[in-house]
Amino acid sequence: MKELIDIVAAYERAVKTGVKTALATVVLVEGSAYRRAGARMLITEDGQLTGAISGGCLEGDALRKARMVILQQEPLLVTYDTMDDDDAKLGVGLGCNGIIHILIEPITGGLTNPISLLKATIANKSYAVFVTLFNLENRKARQPGSCLFIADGQIISAGIEKLPYKNELLEDANNALNTQRSVVTGYEGCTAFIECVKPLISLVILGAGNDAIPLTEFAAVLGWHITVIDGRPNYVTADRFPLPHQLLVAKPGQIVQNIAINEWTAFVLMTHNYNYEFSFLKDLLPLDPSYIGILGPKKKLERMLSELEESGTNITERNLETIHGPVGLDIGSETAEEIALSIVAEIKAVFSERNGHPLKYKTTVIHST
């Protein structure tokens, strides 16, 4: 999602200066590649690149082809075979052992260009589907490109009304939204990359001490939506926390009603104030959030849970699964920055449904979809 945000911002800067742009999208990967389908890069006519479609090996050639796309104002499907010697001469052969299909589209004005669809994807607070059509069988044929955005209660289409397979495409897109899985499927002369896009992670940090500052910095690099809450007005300031989207001065009982909570909200409790965190956790647990990280020793968490039960709070098995205390992955953290790194890594692993183990011990492919 951070990549999409950066691409939209770069596009808006280009529009202000009158610079023409094109969008490159990885629409299909056969075998192994550095980036999988859904990776995007905005290319300007003066050579500025935002986002990435590879580890750096494809960008130079993609830039040359994007300039041609901008000039001709016609989408182009480009295929790179990292196992092919000729492609290796271009600097493509990095041992990825795969075939990468990239669609490059010129960005024109209008309400339904690819950037408009990306904006809708970013603004959406739940899962969304983004559809890109391309002709894999005949690369010289017309390449339809980005054509559809679907989220709960919202549909934005661009040129699918006259497609003979419109109803089938809509059905497949809705199925992808319901199953929360991306698919590549074929129709009459076209292939569709039906991409299910995850919503942005929202990080709510309870505590505005110095150790919370690097946590906001790491989260900001990832593009997460950040909220910092504390009861001390002189701590929750824009000077101390310039990166969060929301700063709140609040008592424990006032917090829950002042923040939006969904399944992609992560909470980290790091106030170093037992009573403050106890009161907040009591209000938070019934809402069943997906992630609660609590800074401090395990004994602190055990005492807190015990006292919550004694006070009448029902602590479910689901609550116990989503509470992470001590918070973070075990990477030997000592400093505030290292602790922040371990916390962000754990949150990312939880929401990606991964275990945080070293990739060297993984016996299956890194990207299963």
Side-chain angles (χ1 to χ4, degrees), residues 203-222:
L203 174 62
V204 179
I205 303 170
L206 194 67
N210 290 343
D211 54 353
I213 295 174
L215 181 55
T216 66
E217 293 170 344
F218 276 109
V221 169
L222 297 175

Side-chain angles (χ1 to χ4, degrees), residues 21-313:
T21 59
L23 181 69
T25 304
V26 178
V27 291
L28 179 64
V29 172
E30 302 173 68
S32 176
Y34 185 83
R35 297 295 306 272
R36 53 180 168 173
R40 290 180 173 85
M41 181 174 70
L42 186 79
I43 305 164
T44 64
E45 60 182 334
D46 59 358
Q48 298 298 312
L49 307 178
T50 304
I53 53 174
S54 74
C57 51
L58 304 182
E59 276 70 5
D61 189 65
L63 171 59
R64 290 188 288 272
K65 289 182 169 61
R67 282 176 167 155
M68 181 176 66
V69 166
I70 292 171
L71 179 64
Q72 297 178 350
Q73 287 296 292
E74 289 291 339
L76 174 68
L77 183 67
V78 183
T79 298
Y80 298 98
D81 186 345
T82 61
M83 299 175 286
D84 185 87
D85 289 338
D86 289 335
D87 278 355
K89 293 175 184 176
L90 293 173
V92 173
L94 288 182
C96 289
N97 202 35
I99 302 173
I100 307 154
H101 303 275
I102 297 171
L103 183 67
I104 306 176
E105 306 171 74
I107 309 300
T108 57
L111 298 176
T112 55
N113 67 30
I115 296 297
S116 297
L117 300 183
L118 288 181
K119 286 181 179 179
T121 304
I122 293 168
N124 184 60
K125 302 302 181 184
S126 58
Y127 282 92
V129 162
F130 193 107
V131 179
T132 306
L133 286 173
F134 56 101
N135 194 316
L136 189 61
E137 296 179 0
N138 183 5
R139 294 195 299 175
K140 295 183 179 180
R142 178 178 175 270
Q143 303 291 340
S146 305
C147 65
L148 184 65
F149 163 85
I150 296 181
D152 292 338
Q154 184 181 14
I155 297 179
I156 302 175
S157 64
I160 72 166
E161 289 74 17
K162 297 181 180 180
L163 295 177
Y165 47 84
K166 170 188 172 183
N167 293 335
E168 187 179 354
L169 176 62
L170 286 171
E171 182 180 354
D172 289 340
N174 280 300
N175 285 338
L177 184 62
N178 293 332
T179 59
Q180 300 176 357
R181 293 184 65 85
S182 300
V183 295
V184 175
T185 186
Y187 301 103
E188 300 174 22
C190 258
T191 302
F193 171 42
I194 304 176
E195 178 187 7
C196 186
V197 183
K198 296 178 181 179
L200 195 65
I201 292 176
S202 293
L203 174 62
V204 179
I205 303 170
L206 194 67
N210 290 343
D211 54 353
I213 295 174
L215 181 55
T216 66
E217 293 170 344
F218 276 109
V221 169
L222 297 175
W224 296 356
H225 186 280
I226 310 164
T227 300
V228 175
I229 306 171
D230 203 297
R232 301 165 291 182
N234 58 321
Y235 276 64
V236 192
T237 66
D239 287 338
R240 284 171 50 77
F241 292 95
L243 298 174
H245 302 80
Q246 185 178 21
L247 298 174
L248 288 177
V249 179
K251 297 178 181 179
Q254 303 170 329
I255 296 173
V256 171
Q257 62 266 34
N258 284 298
I259 54 176
I261 301 174
N262 59 32
E263 62 178 312
W264 286 85
T265 306
F267 294 88
V268 176
L269 283 57
M270 51 192 312
T271 65
H272 306 280
N273 184 320
Y274 182 89
N275 293 330
Y276 194 96
E277 293 183 4
F278 177 89
S279 298
F280 174 66
L281 192 59
K282 185 175 182 179
D283 293 336
L284 184 62
L285 285 179
L287 302 178
D288 192 26
S290 300
Y291 179 97
I292 304 173
I294 301 179
L295 189 68
K298 198 171 189 67
K299 287 185 177 180
K300 168 191 169 181
L301 174 59
E302 292 172 347
R303 174 190 167 192
M304 193 175 289
L305 294 176
S306 177
E307 292 184 5
L308 283 170
E309 286 187 312
E310 290 173 3
S311 67
T313 299

